[in-house]
Each structure stands twice: as structure tokens, then as C-alpha cells.
Amino acid sequence: MQANEKTNQFEVIIIGGSYAGLSAGLSLGRTLRKVLIIDAGMPCNKQTPYSHNFLTQDGVCPSDIAALGKAQVAKYGSVSFFNGLALQAQQQLDKFEITCDTGVRFYASKLILATGIKDIIPDIKGFPACWGKSVVHCPYCHGFEFRNKRAALYSSGEKAMHMASLLSHLNPQLTIIQDGKEAFTDTQMAALNRQNIEIINKEVAEFIHQDGALKTVLFQDNSQMDFEVLYATLDFVPHSDIAMQLGCDLYENNHIKIDSFQQTSIPGVYACGDNSSPMRSVANAVATGNLIGAMVNKALTGEVF
Ligand SMILES: Cc1cc2nc3c(=O)[nH]c(=O)nc-3n(C[C@H](O)[C@H](O)[C@H](O)COP(=O)(O)OP(=O)(O)OC[C@H]3O[C@@H](n4cnc5c(N)ncnc54)[C@H](O)[C@@H]3O)c2cc1C
């Protein structure tokens, strides 16, 4: 899209054009809203070969789902797309000004943040190459494919307890490799022992793999163990700092605070998808994007009716 003074005013700007942003764009396009979707093309699941657990698209390549979504949204003439990074957001009297990496500025009275999150990938050899392939984060996304395989869980504390409870049903042979972030309490240890879950407290030196398929975990003391899958509970940061620039409240874990209508603490700014939800899935991103489309359209309608 070529931007100039005449074309840079919109009713709604959506930052992030992956599943959540496209879903919001679809609802708003269908209600004849003039929308701009700004997207830098870096969804969090970019490296995973197949996406699961989203009805009608189970086992499909993630970028194919997004491409089909974009093609369907693009049919609605009031929705425009801009490929680039939104760098700055400023609240003016009755609108928001968004400045992109090329310096171009766009304006709208409503802003939707569909920016996702960024996993903090541990600085351990082999981890980045396996991420999304055999080192994964979610039993609903990957559990069926890795069922009954020799599995490790790289985690600790409360997060490990939650994940272990889900995985023990899928992977009877489960080993927890403690990531050193939090210690287990005696009660937690007793619960893990009751489930025959092995607990290793050694530092990992390398995840040895073949083309992203995990083979062996090598520890700093040179001992090693073979696994076919490793689940990891990673910390994350917001993919974009735009919510912080605008002063939106965040939770301690970095999710944007929203109400049940996807509205953030700043009037006129909404958030959907991974950036504001603990349920991390394509289906949830699409669902919250769908809801936000209706909420923003309702807000715009309410201003004139
Ligand atoms: C490895 C992995 C595998 C997964 N597998 C599955 C699976 O099998 N099934 C499933 O349901 N879920 C899966 N998920 C979860 C799923 O990918 C996410 O829940 C989903 O992508 C969230 O969608 P989203 O639109 O909120 O964010 P994202 O898909 O992460 O997209 C955010 C978009 O916003 C853009 N963006 C961010 N900031 C800016 C900015 N300032 N300017 C412009 N653009 C910006 C990014 O470039 C990106 O395109 C997986 C996640 C990971 C990490």
C-alpha cells in the first residue's frame, strides 16, 4: 500500500496481522469499517512445521492458515494492509498516531493491538534449532504427535507441576529437567514421586539434534539422556512495546490487562490474541479477534447513534 496524506486516516488501525489481527479485520471489514492492518510478518509459530487443534485447519502449515485468512480479509475493500513495523504510538486529542519503521504515519480513533508475544529462548546450544519442532511448549498443539514418546519437561516449580500433570497422561515416561528458575516444595516433590516422574537437577550443556529432531540432552557434567521430545515453559516479553508506550496496564507476566470486551486500561485501545491471554492457541487468537471486531464496531456505532 502507498501511503499519503489522503490515505493515512482510518477508523481502526490493527497492529499485528496474524491470526488475531486478521480475525479482527474480518469482522470490521464485514461491517464496512475503514481499517488498516500493519504487520511485520513475524508470528511466534513461524518455525513450527504444522499447526494443530484449530478446527478445519488441523495439521496445516501455520503460514498457509494465515495466507488463507489474509486472502479472505483482503476481499473486503475497506480493509488495507501495510507490511512493516509499527514503531511508535501517540495518543492525540481524538485519535492515535502510529509511526512505522519507514517513517510513514497513520491515524485512527480506535487501535487494536494484535501484536503477540516473544518467547525468551534459552541460550543453550541446539535449543533454537529444535524450537517448534521437537522442543515445544504446549500439549494441545503437539501432545498427540509426541504421545508415548520418551519425553522431558524443561521447567520448575508451579509451572512444571501444571505441565507435568497434563503430560503424564500423554507421556507415561516423563523426566523433569529443572531449569533452575524455581525450587520444588516437599509437597510438589512427593506428588511427582507418586507419579513416578524422574527429576534431574543438572545444568544442560546442549540439546543434540538432527535437523531439529531432538536426540539427546547433554549435561554440563558430560552425562547424557536420550529424548524424542522436550517441553519447555518459557518466559516471554510482549512482541511490541506499543502497549507500554500508550500506558496500558500489564500483568506481572507481561500480558496486557483487558476487560471482558477486550478493552485495555486506555480508552480506545483494545488487545487480542497471545498478548493478552494465557490460552495460547490459534483458535483463541481468532476468537478474541472476532470478539474485538464486534466490540470496536459497537463502540464506533455508539459514538454516532
Ligand atoms: C512454536 C509454537 C508452536 C505453536 N503451535 C501451535 C499449534 O499447533 N496450534 C495452535 O493452536 N497454536 C500454536 N501455537 C500458538 C499460536 O501460534 C499463537 O497462539 C498464535 O500465533 C497467536 O496469534 P496472535 O495473532 O496473537 O500472535 P502472532 O501469531 O504471534 O502474531 C503477531 C503478529 O504481530 C506482528 N507484530 C508484532 N508487533 C508488531 C509491530 N509493532 N508492528 C507490526 N507488526 C507487529 C508480528 O510480526 C506477527 O506477525 C504455537 C506457538 C509456538 C510458539
Side-chain angles (χ1 to χ4, degrees), residues 20-243:
L22 287 170
S23 176
L26 183 60
S27 293
L28 289 163
R30 289 183 54 74
T31 47
L32 303 179
R33 294 298 175 189
K34 192 178 177 204
V35 177
L36 176 67
I37 301 179
I38 302 173
D39 187 49
M42 293 295 288
C44 63
N45 60 354
K46 209 177 165 91
Q47 196 168 302
T48 212
Y50 305 105
S51 176
H52 290 96
N53 204 28
F54 179 39
L55 202 63
T56 77
Q57 304 295 317
D58 192 39
V60 176
C61 173
S63 58
D64 289 348
I65 301 174
L68 177 61
K70 186 171 178 181
Q72 292 183 343
V73 176
K75 285 188 192 151
Y76 294 89
S78 64
V79 182
S80 305
F81 295 88
F82 182 81
N83 297 329
L85 191 64
L87 282 184
Q88 271 186 334
Q90 229 183 347
Q91 186 161 17
Q92 300 180 339
L93 266 186
D94 56 349
K95 60 187 171 203
F96 297 95
E97 178 191 74
I98 305 299
T99 308
C100 290
D101 47 356
T102 55
V104 64
R105 291 185 169 86
F106 299 106
Y107 302 87
S109 65
K110 302 282 181 256
L111 183 61
I112 295 177
L113 305 178
T115 41
I117 56 174
K118 222 188 247 182
D119 298 289
I120 302 174
I121 303 293
D123 186 18
I124 302 173
K125 194 172 172 199
F127 194 108
C130 294
W131 178 238
K133 296 173 182 165
S134 58
V135 172
V136 292
H137 74 296
C138 164
Y140 300 102
C141 304
H142 310 280
F144 185 84
E145 285 64 40
F146 287 114
R147 67 194 182 281
N148 298 322
K149 302 279 187 207
R150 183 90 180 81
L153 168 59
Y154 187 61
S155 183
S156 55
E158 203 46 59
K159 282 185 182 172
M161 295 307 291
H162 170 67
M163 190 65 104
S165 71
L166 301 177
L167 291 178
S168 58
H169 180 63
L170 291 159
N171 301 88
Q173 255 191 305
L174 181 64
T175 300
I176 294 180
I177 301 171
Q178 295 194 65
D179 63 9
K181 288 182 192 154
E182 213 184 312
F184 287 118
T185 63
D186 291 346
T187 315
Q188 288 171 333
M189 277 293 198
L192 294 170
N193 288 335
R194 271 198 304 279
Q195 299 294 329
N196 291 321
I197 294 174
E198 186 181 21
I199 301 161
I200 305 286
N201 196 5
K202 294 186 204 174
E203 234 180 287
V204 176
E206 182 177 351
F207 295 101
I208 299 169
H209 65 95
Q210 198 170 7
D211 299 327
L214 180 66
K215 301 288 174 203
T216 300
V217 175
L218 175 68
F219 296 98
Q220 291 287 2
D221 65 2
N222 272 329
S223 62
Q224 54 183 56
M225 293 177 81
D226 293 342
F227 295 103
E228 289 161 286
V229 59
L230 180 128
Y231 286 84
T233 57
L234 302 186
D235 293 330
F236 62 86
V237 289
H239 198 139
S240 158
D241 68 355
I242 296 249

Side-chain angles (χ1 to χ4, degrees), residues 113 115 240-250 256 264 266 269:
L113 305 178
T115 41
S240 158
D241 68 355
I242 296 249
M244 285 91 93
Q245 289 180 31
L246 291 166
C248 298
D249 291 342
L250 302 190
I256 301 170
T264 71
I266 301 295
V269 182

